mmCIF file of all heavy atoms in Angstrom:
data_model
loop_
_atom_site.group_PDB
_atom_site.id
_atom_site.type_symbol
_atom_site.label_atom_id
_atom_site.label_comp_id
_atom_site.label_asym_id
_atom_site.label_seq_id
_atom_site.Cartn_x
_atom_site.Cartn_y
_atom_site.Cartn_z
ATOM 1 N N ASN A 1 -109.980 -19.378 -18.219
ATOM 2 C CA ASN A 1 -110.917 -20.132 -19.051
ATOM 3 C C ASN A 1 -112.213 -19.345 -19.242
ATOM 4 O O ASN A 1 -112.768 -19.273 -20.349
ATOM 5 C CB ASN A 1 -111.196 -21.489 -18.403
ATOM 6 C CG ASN A 1 -112.132 -22.358 -19.236
ATOM 7 O OD1 ASN A 1 -112.143 -22.261 -20.458
ATOM 8 N ND2 ASN A 1 -112.903 -23.204 -18.585
ATOM 9 N N ILE A 2 -112.692 -18.737 -18.166
ATOM 10 C CA ILE A 2 -113.931 -17.953 -18.251
ATOM 11 C C ILE A 2 -113.710 -16.705 -19.108
ATOM 12 O O ILE A 2 -114.553 -16.344 -19.939
ATOM 13 C CB ILE A 2 -114.421 -17.569 -16.843
ATOM 14 C CG1 ILE A 2 -114.899 -18.833 -16.105
ATOM 15 C CG2 ILE A 2 -115.546 -16.534 -16.914
ATOM 16 C CD1 ILE A 2 -115.184 -18.629 -14.640
ATOM 17 N N ALA A 3 -112.561 -16.049 -18.915
ATOM 18 C CA ALA A 3 -112.253 -14.861 -19.722
ATOM 19 C C ALA A 3 -112.222 -15.211 -21.206
ATOM 20 O O ALA A 3 -112.731 -14.467 -22.050
ATOM 21 C CB ALA A 3 -110.915 -14.267 -19.292
ATOM 22 N N LYS A 4 -111.629 -16.360 -21.536
ATOM 23 C CA LYS A 4 -111.576 -16.787 -22.933
ATOM 24 C C LYS A 4 -112.978 -17.038 -23.476
ATOM 25 O O LYS A 4 -113.306 -16.644 -24.610
ATOM 26 C CB LYS A 4 -110.733 -18.051 -23.070
ATOM 27 C CG LYS A 4 -110.683 -18.586 -24.501
ATOM 28 C CD LYS A 4 -109.888 -19.879 -24.599
ATOM 29 C CE LYS A 4 -109.919 -20.427 -26.029
ATOM 30 N NZ LYS A 4 -109.174 -21.691 -26.167
ATOM 31 N N ARG A 5 -113.817 -17.687 -22.682
ATOM 32 C CA ARG A 5 -115.169 -17.977 -23.138
ATOM 33 C C ARG A 5 -115.974 -16.700 -23.388
ATOM 34 O O ARG A 5 -116.789 -16.632 -24.305
ATOM 35 C CB ARG A 5 -115.888 -18.865 -22.112
ATOM 36 C CG ARG A 5 -115.342 -20.303 -22.072
ATOM 37 C CD ARG A 5 -115.972 -21.095 -20.929
ATOM 38 N NE ARG A 5 -115.415 -22.438 -20.840
ATOM 39 C CZ ARG A 5 -115.877 -23.499 -21.493
ATOM 40 N NH1 ARG A 5 -116.919 -23.351 -22.307
ATOM 41 N NH2 ARG A 5 -115.326 -24.681 -21.348
ATOM 42 N N ILE A 6 -115.743 -15.663 -22.561
ATOM 43 C CA ILE A 6 -116.410 -14.384 -22.791
ATOM 44 C C ILE A 6 -115.931 -13.782 -24.105
ATOM 45 O O ILE A 6 -116.714 -13.278 -24.904
ATOM 46 C CB ILE A 6 -116.139 -13.399 -21.626
ATOM 47 C CG1 ILE A 6 -116.769 -13.909 -20.328
ATOM 48 C CG2 ILE A 6 -116.691 -12.012 -21.964
ATOM 49 C CD1 ILE A 6 -116.401 -13.100 -19.109
ATOM 50 N N ALA A 7 -114.614 -13.859 -24.331
ATOM 51 C CA ALA A 7 -114.020 -13.235 -25.507
ATOM 52 C C ALA A 7 -114.520 -13.848 -26.814
ATOM 53 O O ALA A 7 -114.710 -13.147 -27.803
ATOM 54 C CB ALA A 7 -112.500 -13.338 -25.437
ATOM 55 N N ILE A 8 -114.728 -15.156 -26.835
ATOM 56 C CA ILE A 8 -115.120 -15.826 -28.079
ATOM 57 C C ILE A 8 -116.627 -16.052 -28.170
ATOM 58 O O ILE A 8 -117.111 -16.640 -29.122
ATOM 59 C CB ILE A 8 -114.380 -17.174 -28.241
ATOM 60 C CG1 ILE A 8 -114.767 -18.158 -27.128
ATOM 61 C CG2 ILE A 8 -112.876 -16.963 -28.265
ATOM 62 C CD1 ILE A 8 -114.133 -19.533 -27.277
ATOM 63 N N MET A 9 -117.360 -15.562 -27.190
ATOM 64 C CA MET A 9 -118.813 -15.756 -27.166
ATOM 65 C C MET A 9 -119.478 -14.943 -28.256
ATOM 66 O O MET A 9 -119.099 -13.816 -28.536
ATOM 67 C CB MET A 9 -119.349 -15.337 -25.798
ATOM 68 C CG MET A 9 -120.818 -15.656 -25.576
ATOM 69 S SD MET A 9 -121.346 -15.084 -23.941
ATOM 70 C CE MET A 9 -120.269 -16.049 -22.889
ATOM 71 N N GLU A 10 -120.482 -15.517 -28.875
ATOM 72 C CA GLU A 10 -121.253 -14.795 -29.878
ATOM 73 C C GLU A 10 -122.685 -14.642 -29.381
ATOM 74 O O GLU A 10 -122.913 -14.198 -28.270
ATOM 75 C CB GLU A 10 -121.171 -15.534 -31.218
ATOM 76 C CG GLU A 10 -119.737 -15.563 -31.771
ATOM 77 C CD GLU A 10 -119.637 -16.269 -33.094
ATOM 78 O OE1 GLU A 10 -120.631 -16.868 -33.540
ATOM 79 O OE2 GLU A 10 -118.545 -16.210 -33.707
ATOM 80 N N ARG A 11 -123.664 -15.032 -30.168
ATOM 81 C CA ARG A 11 -125.050 -14.893 -29.725
ATOM 82 C C ARG A 11 -125.496 -16.143 -28.976
ATOM 83 O O ARG A 11 -125.023 -17.242 -29.252
ATOM 84 C CB ARG A 11 -125.971 -14.630 -30.913
ATOM 85 C CG ARG A 11 -125.620 -13.363 -31.666
ATOM 86 C CD ARG A 11 -126.662 -13.039 -32.707
ATOM 87 N NE ARG A 11 -127.913 -12.602 -32.113
ATOM 88 C CZ ARG A 11 -128.151 -11.350 -31.750
ATOM 89 N NH1 ARG A 11 -127.227 -10.426 -31.901
ATOM 90 N NH2 ARG A 11 -129.325 -11.013 -31.240
ATOM 91 N N THR A 12 -126.415 -15.947 -28.053
ATOM 92 C CA THR A 12 -126.897 -17.051 -27.221
ATOM 93 C C THR A 12 -128.388 -17.243 -27.425
ATOM 94 O O THR A 12 -129.137 -16.277 -27.535
ATOM 95 C CB THR A 12 -126.616 -16.759 -25.732
ATOM 96 O OG1 THR A 12 -125.222 -16.520 -25.562
ATOM 97 C CG2 THR A 12 -127.039 -17.930 -24.865
ATOM 98 N N SER A 13 -128.812 -18.489 -27.458
ATOM 99 C CA SER A 13 -130.221 -18.808 -27.656
ATOM 100 C C SER A 13 -131.080 -18.185 -26.560
ATOM 101 O O SER A 13 -130.770 -18.301 -25.372
ATOM 102 C CB SER A 13 -130.401 -20.332 -27.646
ATOM 103 O OG SER A 13 -131.750 -20.670 -27.426
ATOM 104 N N PRO A 14 -132.178 -17.530 -26.921
ATOM 105 C CA PRO A 14 -133.088 -16.984 -25.910
ATOM 106 C C PRO A 14 -133.604 -18.050 -24.951
ATOM 107 O O PRO A 14 -133.821 -17.779 -23.768
ATOM 108 C CB PRO A 14 -134.225 -16.401 -26.760
ATOM 109 C CG PRO A 14 -133.605 -16.099 -28.072
ATOM 110 C CD PRO A 14 -132.591 -17.173 -28.288
ATOM 111 N N ASP A 15 -133.784 -19.280 -25.444
ATOM 112 C CA ASP A 15 -134.276 -20.358 -24.577
ATOM 113 C C ASP A 15 -133.265 -20.679 -23.478
ATOM 114 O O ASP A 15 -133.641 -20.929 -22.321
ATOM 115 C CB ASP A 15 -134.559 -21.615 -25.405
ATOM 116 C CG ASP A 15 -135.760 -21.436 -26.331
ATOM 117 O OD1 ASP A 15 -136.602 -20.579 -26.015
ATOM 118 O OD2 ASP A 15 -135.827 -22.137 -27.355
ATOM 119 N N ILE A 16 -131.990 -20.692 -23.854
ATOM 120 C CA ILE A 16 -130.944 -20.967 -22.867
ATOM 121 C C ILE A 16 -130.893 -19.848 -21.836
ATOM 122 O O ILE A 16 -130.808 -20.088 -20.630
ATOM 123 C CB ILE A 16 -129.579 -21.126 -23.559
ATOM 124 C CG1 ILE A 16 -129.582 -22.394 -24.423
ATOM 125 C CG2 ILE A 16 -128.442 -21.185 -22.532
ATOM 126 C CD1 ILE A 16 -128.328 -22.591 -25.237
ATOM 127 N N LEU A 17 -130.937 -18.602 -22.323
ATOM 128 C CA LEU A 17 -130.932 -17.464 -21.402
ATOM 129 C C LEU A 17 -132.121 -17.535 -20.438
ATOM 130 O O LEU A 17 -131.976 -17.297 -19.241
ATOM 131 C CB LEU A 17 -130.989 -16.157 -22.192
ATOM 132 C CG LEU A 17 -129.694 -15.681 -22.848
ATOM 133 C CD1 LEU A 17 -129.968 -14.491 -23.739
ATOM 134 C CD2 LEU A 17 -128.662 -15.315 -21.795
ATOM 135 N N LYS A 18 -133.266 -17.861 -20.989
ATOM 136 C CA LYS A 18 -134.485 -17.934 -20.163
ATOM 137 C C LYS A 18 -134.354 -19.006 -19.091
ATOM 138 O O LYS A 18 -134.741 -18.800 -17.930
ATOM 139 C CB LYS A 18 -135.685 -18.223 -21.065
ATOM 140 C CG LYS A 18 -137.025 -18.209 -20.349
ATOM 141 C CD LYS A 18 -138.171 -18.407 -21.335
ATOM 142 C CE LYS A 18 -139.511 -18.367 -20.620
ATOM 143 N NZ LYS A 18 -140.639 -18.558 -21.578
ATOM 144 N N GLU A 19 -133.791 -20.137 -19.470
ATOM 145 C CA GLU A 19 -133.639 -21.233 -18.514
ATOM 146 C C GLU A 19 -132.677 -20.858 -17.388
ATOM 147 O O GLU A 19 -132.953 -21.086 -16.205
ATOM 148 C CB GLU A 19 -133.125 -22.479 -19.249
ATOM 149 C CG GLU A 19 -132.982 -23.696 -18.353
ATOM 150 C CD GLU A 19 -132.498 -24.914 -19.118
ATOM 151 O OE1 GLU A 19 -132.476 -24.873 -20.378
ATOM 152 O OE2 GLU A 19 -132.128 -25.904 -18.460
ATOM 153 N N ILE A 20 -131.530 -20.265 -17.759
ATOM 154 C CA ILE A 20 -130.535 -19.875 -16.750
ATOM 155 C C ILE A 20 -131.108 -18.805 -15.841
ATOM 156 O O ILE A 20 -130.938 -18.849 -14.611
ATOM 157 C CB ILE A 20 -129.245 -19.383 -17.431
ATOM 158 C CG1 ILE A 20 -128.592 -20.527 -18.208
ATOM 159 C CG2 ILE A 20 -128.265 -18.828 -16.390
ATOM 160 C CD1 ILE A 20 -127.419 -20.095 -19.054
ATOM 161 N N GLU A 21 -131.771 -17.819 -16.427
ATOM 162 C CA GLU A 21 -132.369 -16.762 -15.618
ATOM 163 C C GLU A 21 -133.385 -17.325 -14.629
ATOM 164 O O GLU A 21 -133.447 -16.886 -13.472
ATOM 165 C CB GLU A 21 -133.057 -15.733 -16.508
ATOM 166 C CG GLU A 21 -132.127 -14.659 -17.016
ATOM 167 C CD GLU A 21 -132.890 -13.412 -17.397
ATOM 168 O OE1 GLU A 21 -133.889 -13.531 -18.123
ATOM 169 O OE2 GLU A 21 -132.487 -12.331 -16.962
ATOM 170 N N GLY A 22 -134.177 -18.278 -15.091
ATOM 171 C CA GLY A 22 -135.197 -18.866 -14.228
ATOM 172 C C GLY A 22 -134.588 -19.512 -13.000
ATOM 173 O O GLY A 22 -135.088 -19.339 -11.869
ATOM 174 N N VAL A 23 -133.493 -20.231 -13.209
ATOM 175 C CA VAL A 23 -132.823 -20.894 -12.089
ATOM 176 C C VAL A 23 -132.269 -19.860 -11.113
ATOM 177 O O VAL A 23 -132.428 -19.974 -9.888
ATOM 178 C CB VAL A 23 -131.686 -21.802 -12.605
ATOM 179 C CG1 VAL A 23 -130.862 -22.337 -11.443
ATOM 180 C CG2 VAL A 23 -132.262 -22.956 -13.423
ATOM 181 N N LEU A 24 -131.612 -18.838 -11.652
ATOM 182 C CA LEU A 24 -130.994 -17.827 -10.792
ATOM 183 C C LEU A 24 -132.046 -16.995 -10.064
ATOM 184 O O LEU A 24 -131.879 -16.630 -8.897
ATOM 185 C CB LEU A 24 -130.086 -16.915 -11.626
ATOM 186 C CG LEU A 24 -128.857 -17.588 -12.232
ATOM 187 C CD1 LEU A 24 -128.063 -16.603 -13.078
ATOM 188 C CD2 LEU A 24 -127.966 -18.173 -11.143
ATOM 189 N N LYS A 25 -133.131 -16.678 -10.750
ATOM 190 C CA LYS A 25 -134.211 -15.927 -10.101
ATOM 191 C C LYS A 25 -134.781 -16.703 -8.918
ATOM 192 O O LYS A 25 -135.066 -16.131 -7.869
ATOM 193 C CB LYS A 25 -135.328 -15.644 -11.099
ATOM 194 C CG LYS A 25 -135.029 -14.556 -12.110
ATOM 195 C CD LYS A 25 -136.203 -14.434 -13.066
ATOM 196 C CE LYS A 25 -135.901 -13.468 -14.183
ATOM 197 N NZ LYS A 25 -136.994 -13.400 -15.164
ATOM 198 N N GLU A 26 -134.925 -17.985 -9.132
ATOM 199 C CA GLU A 26 -135.464 -18.818 -8.053
ATOM 200 C C GLU A 26 -134.521 -18.810 -6.860
ATOM 201 O O GLU A 26 -134.962 -18.723 -5.711
ATOM 202 C CB GLU A 26 -135.665 -20.248 -8.568
ATOM 203 C CG GLU A 26 -136.378 -21.157 -7.576
ATOM 204 C CD GLU A 26 -136.672 -22.526 -8.142
ATOM 205 O OE1 GLU A 26 -136.583 -22.683 -9.379
ATOM 206 O OE2 GLU A 26 -136.981 -23.429 -7.345
ATOM 207 N N LYS A 27 -133.227 -18.898 -7.131
ATOM 208 C CA LYS A 27 -132.248 -18.895 -6.042
ATOM 209 C C LYS A 27 -132.240 -17.561 -5.304
ATOM 210 O O LYS A 27 -132.054 -17.502 -4.096
ATOM 211 C CB LYS A 27 -130.848 -19.185 -6.581
ATOM 212 C CG LYS A 27 -130.644 -20.631 -7.042
ATOM 213 C CD LYS A 27 -129.206 -20.850 -7.491
ATOM 214 C CE LYS A 27 -128.976 -22.299 -7.919
ATOM 215 N NZ LYS A 27 -127.570 -22.520 -8.375
ATOM 216 N N LEU A 28 -132.411 -16.493 -6.032
ATOM 217 C CA LEU A 28 -132.377 -15.166 -5.408
ATOM 218 C C LEU A 28 -133.753 -14.710 -4.923
ATOM 219 O O LEU A 28 -133.877 -13.642 -4.335
ATOM 220 C CB LEU A 28 -131.852 -14.135 -6.408
ATOM 221 C CG LEU A 28 -130.349 -14.168 -6.692
ATOM 222 C CD1 LEU A 28 -130.002 -13.169 -7.789
ATOM 223 C CD2 LEU A 28 -129.550 -13.854 -5.437
ATOM 224 N N SER A 29 -134.752 -15.538 -5.196
ATOM 225 C CA SER A 29 -136.134 -15.195 -4.838
ATOM 226 C C SER A 29 -136.511 -13.816 -5.381
ATOM 227 O O SER A 29 -137.063 -12.970 -4.662
ATOM 228 C CB SER A 29 -136.295 -15.207 -3.306
ATOM 229 O OG SER A 29 -136.027 -16.487 -2.788
ATOM 230 N N SER A 30 -136.177 -13.611 -6.651
ATOM 231 C CA SER A 30 -136.433 -12.328 -7.282
ATOM 232 C C SER A 30 -137.204 -12.558 -8.568
ATOM 233 O O SER A 30 -137.119 -13.622 -9.166
ATOM 234 C CB SER A 30 -135.114 -11.612 -7.584
ATOM 235 O OG SER A 30 -135.361 -10.406 -8.246
ATOM 236 N N VAL A 31 -137.966 -11.565 -8.979
ATOM 237 C CA VAL A 31 -138.749 -11.665 -10.206
ATOM 238 C C VAL A 31 -138.306 -10.546 -11.145
ATOM 239 O O VAL A 31 -138.222 -9.398 -10.749
ATOM 240 C CB VAL A 31 -140.252 -11.523 -9.932
ATOM 241 C CG1 VAL A 31 -141.031 -11.573 -11.240
ATOM 242 C CG2 VAL A 31 -140.711 -12.612 -8.988
ATOM 243 N N ALA A 32 -138.035 -10.892 -12.403
ATOM 244 C CA ALA A 32 -137.675 -9.891 -13.399
ATOM 245 C C ALA A 32 -138.047 -10.404 -14.776
ATOM 246 O O ALA A 32 -138.171 -11.595 -14.995
ATOM 247 C CB ALA A 32 -136.178 -9.595 -13.323
#
């Protein structure tokens, strides 16, 4: 299912990327 989603993925909203990155950065205690 994940492989299929990668294959058919197109462009992603910068806002969505920013939100996901923020959550992951917080979990990893990293800044980028």
Side-chain angles (χ1 to χ4, degrees):
N1 182 30
I2 291 170
K4 178 183 177 181
R5 289 173 183 272
I6 295 172
I8 64 177
M9 187 181 299
E10 296 181 352
R11 300 188 70 85
T12 304
S13 162
D15 291 336
I16 293 175
L17 282 172
K18 185 176 181 180
E19 182 179 349
I20 295 173
E21 274 203 311
V23 172
L24 294 178
K25 285 178 186 176
E26 187 175 345
K27 289 183 178 179
L28 286 175
S29 299
S30 177
V31 178

